[in-house]
Structure formats: structure tokens, C-alpha cells
Amino acid sequence: MGKTSDLTAVQKTIIDTLHKEGKTQKVIAKEAGCSQSSVSKHINRQAKGREKCGRKKCTSSRDNRTLQRIVTTNPFKNVGEIHKEWTAAGVSASRTTTRRLMKDMGFRCRIPCVKPLLNKKQRKKRLAWAKDKKDWTDAEWSKVMFSDESKFCISFGNQGPRVWRKSGEAQNPRCMRSSVKFPPSVMVWGAMSSAGVGPLCFLRSRVNAAVYQEVLEHFMLPAADQLYGDADFTFQQDLAPAHSAKTTSTWFKDHGIPVLDWPANSPDLNPIENLWGIVKRRMQYARPNNAEELKTTIRATWALITPEQCHRLIESMPRRITAVIEAKGAPTKY
């Protein structure tokens, strides 16, 4: 006669069937060809459910709630700091247990989203702007050329990529990453519409009104010809000092180009911000060695942006505006 764990699938089926028919355990054991104790244990396990195996948990439900409160209250602390605070509360657990429980609770370590800090006045203006534009159609938004500047660095992220290596290869040049205190970077101006992207401008100096007007003359106007031809369009820009200078406003008037009114500190409303994000993600594993190689990589990646991608981003404008209205002018997920 075998143990419960030795019961075959056929024996278990016989036991279950005869038990449902109301047969006694003695009769079931005889029919199944096993011991009566095996029948009893199998029936009890089926009724109660198999008990979990493994070591008993070292933390209670109360301890787990304490951990969840610590993480929720201090989401920017690392695992070591959270573990130290948790054990200081009287909990006896290892750092590995802390990390595992945080994972079981659904917490994941991620790069935080960056949102602009808005004061009450700016939120009010954003809300008013969104309400004014809430009835704009996709066709109206397709007539807007969105623009922005973005900074690109040779090194992306704080730690950079990981490396697969064997023991003893830590100092192997093949497994090492170059480090510089101030990594080379470039500032780029770009523009987009629902029809695609315009040419990029790499800014060599600090952008003042005069420099910005040169960018408009030599890059924005060609972009307008490329994206709109002879059709009318409206230009979008943020409220940077060079953009809102009187001489810049005069430049737009002299060229007959209407400028879209824009709320302050509102990158979440500008679809080109998402486009910059796409470009930087695609460049994540690029390894330019200097500023010129970085520019070449940016140009090549920018050229891969399709009109369909731009069109989808422009189509998101009504949803962005709705989100701002629902948030009462506060920053949104976009």
C-alpha cells in the first residue's frame, strides 16, 4: 500500500468517484487498491486544499502594511533606505525579503516622469487655454507647425548600459565604458506637423532673440515650404525669452506668420516633446564618440520619423486638452 503521494491518477479518480457515491473509506480503499489512511488523507486534502509548502513567512500582514506605507510615503528612497526604515520599526527581515515583498505588492523601480512645476496662475491660464481650444478639430490642428529645442548628450541615463562579462574581465577594455565629467552635448531645434518633420538646426551658442530669428529664417521657413507648400499655417512656440521678445514678434508680423497663443510651462501639450522622446529612445544604444558623431546619429534617427507617427501625435491634441481640463490645469501624463 503506497502513500498518498504515490497514488496514481486512476486511483485518485476512483477515490473521488466512490466518495461522491457515499461509500465508506474501507470500501473505497479496497476498490482503489490502497491503504485506508491514503484514502482519508486524499479526501481531506481535496476538501481543505493542499497546504502550501516551504518555510513559514517571517513577516505578518501588519509588517507588510507598514512596508507598503513606507514605500508609498517615500517613493524616491532606494531599497536599502526602505529596508533600514522598515527594520527600525521592529521588523526582522532581510534586504532580499524587502525587495521581494515590494515586488509582490506591485512596486517597480522606474525612471520618474518629469512634469513642470506650475503655480496657481499658470494652471488657471492653462485651463482657460484648453477650454478655448477644446472644440478644435484634427483638421485645424494639422495646420499648426509645432516647434521646440531639445538637448542631446553622448551618455544617456545615469549608469549607462550593462555589460555581460566573465569573472576576471572587469578591467578588460572591451568590458569598460568611457567616463567623462562633462559629456559633450548638443542643443537641437526642430519642427513638425501632421505631414512630417522639418530640417534640424544644431544651435552653437546660447539662444537669444537674434539667434532665434536666424533659426526661423533659415530653418523654419524651409520647413514650412516642405510641410505646407503654399497653404496657410500657424506656428507654435513656447514662451522662452528669445521666442517672446519684441523683435521676434516683429519678425513674425513682417513675414505674415500667425503664432499660436501658448500657455507657460506646458511641454505636456506639445506633441514634439513626444517626438524627441522617440528619437532619444532609438538612440539609447548608440555610442557616438564625439559631438560630430552625435549630430550624425541624431540626423539619421530624425530622418526615420514617418509622417504617420507625426499624424498620430497631432491627433492626440484633443485628448491632451481634455486631460488638462479634467486636471483643472494641472500637468498631465502626456
Side-chain angles (χ1 to χ4, degrees):
M1 300 287 181
K3 299 179 180 179
T4 309
S5 58
D6 296 330
L7 292 175
T8 65
V10 175
Q11 287 177 315
K12 291 178 181 179
T13 302
I14 293 173
I15 294 172
D16 292 336
T17 303
L18 296 179
H19 179 65
K20 290 179 181 179
E21 293 176 359
K23 303 293 184 180
T24 64
Q25 293 183 6
K26 185 175 181 180
V27 173
I28 295 173
K30 186 177 181 180
E31 290 292 332
C34 62
S35 67
Q36 189 173 336
S37 63
S38 296
V39 173
S40 177
K41 290 178 181 179
H42 176 74
I43 291 173
N44 289 334
R45 285 190 177 186
Q46 291 294 98
K48 299 179 180 179
R50 184 179 178 89
E51 294 183 2
K52 292 184 178 180
C53 300
R55 189 173 60 182
K56 185 179 178 181
K57 292 184 177 180
C58 63
T59 61
S60 64
S61 298
R62 182 177 181 180
D63 295 335
N64 295 346
R65 289 195 299 271
T66 302
L67 175 61
Q68 185 164 5
R69 183 171 62 252
I70 292 171
V71 179
T72 305
T73 306
N74 307 285
F76 288 93
K77 285 190 174 182
N78 58 40
V79 176
E81 292 171 330
I82 292 172
H83 172 69
K84 186 176 180 180
E85 184 174 345
W86 193 34
T87 53
V91 179
S92 177
S94 66
R95 180 168 173 164
T96 301
T97 299
T98 304
R99 183 190 295 273
R100 177 178 54 78
L101 286 174
M102 289 169 61
K103 186 176 180 180
D104 292 342
M105 292 174 184
F107 292 106
R108 298 292 183 273
C109 187
R110 296 288 186 265
I111 298 174
C113 296
V114 179
K115 292 186 177 181
L117 183 64
L118 298 171
N119 57 40
K120 188 174 181 180
K121 185 177 180 180
Q122 289 171 334
R123 291 190 181 193
K124 187 176 180 180
K125 287 186 176 181
R126 274 168 55 93
L127 181 59
W129 183 90
K131 289 181 177 179
D132 182 59
K133 301 292 189 296
K134 66 183 178 68
D135 294 326
W136 275 36
T137 63
D138 289 342
E140 289 176 295
W141 285 115
S142 67
K143 295 179 181 179
V144 178
M145 180 193 292
F146 291 89
S147 70
D148 190 34
E149 295 90 7
S150 185
K151 184 179 182 179
F152 287 76
C153 296
I154 281 184
S155 59
F156 293 94
N158 294 325
Q159 296 180 335
R162 298 296 183 95
V163 61
W164 289 97
R165 72 187 186 200
K166 296 180 180 180
S167 178
E169 291 185 338
Q171 299 302 317
N172 189 323
R174 180 180 61 82
C175 300
M176 298 178 69
R177 181 170 59 91
S178 300
S179 175
V180 290
K181 190 172 182 180
F182 300 104
S185 63
V186 294
M187 184 67 73
V188 189
W189 177 93
M192 66 168 287
S193 75
S194 61
V197 297
L200 292 175
C201 174
F202 292 93
L203 305 169
R204 298 181 179 180
S205 61
R206 184 173 177 273
V207 180
N208 54 30
V211 172
Y212 184 59
Q213 289 160 34
E214 288 291 320
V215 173
L216 296 174
E217 188 75 38
H218 299 292
F219 291 90
M220 190 275 282
L221 292 181
D225 292 336
Q226 173 186 329
L227 300 173
Y228 293 99
D230 295 330
D232 294 333
F233 73 97
T234 300
F235 185 69
Q236 179 277 336
Q237 59 180 3
D238 59 27
L239 301 182
H243 302 175
S244 56
K246 290 183 179 180
T247 55
T248 302
S249 299
T250 302
W251 187 94
F252 281 110
K253 290 179 181 178
D254 293 342
H255 288 77
I257 300 174
V259 178
L260 181 69
D261 60 301
W262 196 254
N265 287 351
S266 299
D268 54 330
L269 286 170
N270 195 343
I272 199 173
E273 293 286 352
N274 302 84
L275 210 56
W276 292 131
I278 292 172
V279 172
K280 290 178 180 180
R281 284 194 296 274
R282 289 181 177 178
M283 292 176 56
Q284 183 176 1
Y285 299 106
R287 295 293 173 264
N289 295 311
N290 51 54
E292 289 304 315
E293 289 185 10
L294 177 60
K295 291 179 182 179
T296 301
T297 306
I298 296 171
R299 289 192 189 97
T301 310
W302 183 257
L304 296 176
I305 300 296
T306 64
E308 290 75 20
Q309 287 176 299
C310 296
H311 184 68
R312 285 195 297 269
L313 288 173
I314 298 297
E315 282 185 329
S316 70
M317 285 305 298
R319 296 193 298 273
R320 295 169 190 260
I321 289 172
T322 300
V324 170
I325 294 175
E326 291 176 350
K328 298 181 179 179
T332 63
K333 65 178 183 179
Y334 290 97

